[in-house]
Amino acid sequence: MAMLDANLHPAHAHKPTQFQTLTVVSVVLALVNMTWGLIDTRMVDGAFVWMKPLKFSLSFILLFATLALVEKRLSERLRSGWLMLLIGWVMAAAFLSEMAYMMYQAARAEASHFNLSTPFNEFMYTVVMATGAVVLVACVGLIGWLVKRDRNAALTPTLRESIWLGFLLSFALTMIVAGYLSGTGGHHVGLHPEGAATFPLVGWSGVTGDLRPAHFFSLHAMQLVPLFALWVERRNFANPVKAIRLFAFGYAGLTLVVFAIALAGLPLIPLG
């Protein structure tokens, strides 16, 4: 992290950015959901009602914190330009609409995802939340493209390539995996009996196909590929950019293999 801060434009050092603000908002929502989760112990689909919005708020913290680190290192012209400002506002609208609906449904003890029980629920899930999800990952891909083109950004060539490829993979892979997932009616491919073995913390099925591992891999390419780049820069690779490209290619292949395993109705790791 110190390496990244050393490359930071001085003018950007203390001025809050739009994605830092969204990170703080996500933290506040996570605390609210956690607090309500301790008070409200109702269940929906075998999970506490506030678990879904809590998980999403934690995911948004990671998303916006990652974007804030990148945004602070863009050139002043791009960082303060109308396009980045528009991207921030669009992502904020998508984020807040999704969180508002999930928290509203949690308060009603109803599922927010795959809930088509009423015209309102169907519209919110298939239109509002679906549109919001596409907008969020599309903006991630767009930011990656802007990073690649911003030659005055405070980034090494290795980090620039890793951000571009990581953000691109998160967009492309999420569109594939989440696009399929949203139309299946649930996370599982095959029967997951009540009480069957699941992975600790994440709840992935250990007995049948589960699309969530591939979704996890697709979403977090934007963090893992740049983290690999930081490791590469400390190892003095002869051709670090080539190493990043090979890693990104392998990461995409791994994600698609995990996706194929789920589609075959098999658990990522059998747990019994």
Side-chain angles (χ1 to χ4, degrees):
M1 199 63 65
M3 180 188 302
L4 284 175
D5 290 337
N7 290 330
L8 186 61
H9 288 302
H12 300 171
H14 304 293
K15 184 180 178 181
T17 68
Q18 55 188 348
F19 289 118
Q20 285 178 330
T21 301
L22 289 173
T23 303
V24 172
V25 173
S26 301
V27 170
V28 171
L29 290 178
L31 292 174
V32 170
N33 287 315
M34 188 181 301
T35 301
W36 276 111
L38 295 174
I39 299 171
D40 186 352
T41 58
R42 292 174 297 169
M43 308 281 285
V44 60
D45 293 337
F48 292 109
V49 293
W50 292 98
M51 186 58 67
K52 178 73 72 174
L54 175 59
K55 286 182 177 179
F56 268 75
S57 56
L58 293 174
S59 180
F60 278 122
I61 291 173
L62 184 57
L63 168 65
F64 292 130
T66 301
L67 294 177
L69 284 172
V70 172
E71 181 186 30
K72 292 281 281 187
R73 286 152 184 86
L74 297 175
S75 65
E76 179 66 25
R77 178 189 60 80
L78 179 58
R79 189 176 71 89
S80 302
W82 68 268
L83 183 54
M84 278 300 297
L85 293 175
L86 178 61
I87 290 172
W89 280 106
V90 168
M91 293 188 77
F95 151 64
L96 292 173
S97 63
E98 292 209 350
M99 288 304 306
Y101 178 62
M102 282 184 282
M103 294 174 70
Y104 172 72
Q105 290 295 85
R108 300 173 63 203
E110 288 195 24
S112 54
H113 287 65
F114 309 111
N115 185 350
L116 310 178
S117 58
T118 68
F120 172 74
N121 289 341
E122 182 176 3
F123 173 77
M124 291 301 298
Y125 176 63
T126 61
V127 178
V128 176
M129 292 194 71
T131 301
V134 171
V135 164
L136 287 166
V137 294
C139 286
V140 167
L142 178 56
I143 292 172
W145 179 75
L146 292 174
V147 168
K148 183 176 178 64
R149 291 175 57 87
D150 187 9
R151 295 303 173 186
N152 294 319
L155 293 166
T156 64
T158 306
L159 278 174
R160 185 194 310 279
E161 189 72 7
S162 69
I163 292 169
W164 152 241
L165 290 177
F167 282 32
L168 175 65
L169 286 180
S170 276
F171 164 65
L173 294 172
T174 300
M175 290 299 293
I176 295 171
V177 177
Y180 181 88
L181 174 61
S182 64
T184 60
H187 302 120
H188 300 127
V189 180
L191 178 64
H192 179 85
E194 184 175 352
T198 60
F199 284 68
L201 299 179
V202 292
W204 301 338
S205 177
V207 298
T208 191
D210 196 320
L211 297 166
R212 287 173 293 182
H215 190 32
F216 177 89
F217 276 96
S218 66
L219 284 174
H220 296 298
M222 64 182 295
Q223 286 92 25
L224 293 175
V225 178
L227 283 174
F228 178 75
L230 290 176
W231 180 83
V232 164
E233 288 194 329
R234 293 177 181 273
R235 294 300 183 277
N236 297 316
F237 276 52
N239 192 337
V241 172
K242 181 179 180 181
I244 297 304
R245 291 170 179 168
L246 289 173
F247 179 82
F249 180 80
Y251 189 95
L254 174 63
T255 303
L256 292 175
V257 167
V258 172
F259 185 43
I261 289 172
L263 292 179
L266 301 173
L268 182 61
I269 300 176
L271 299 178

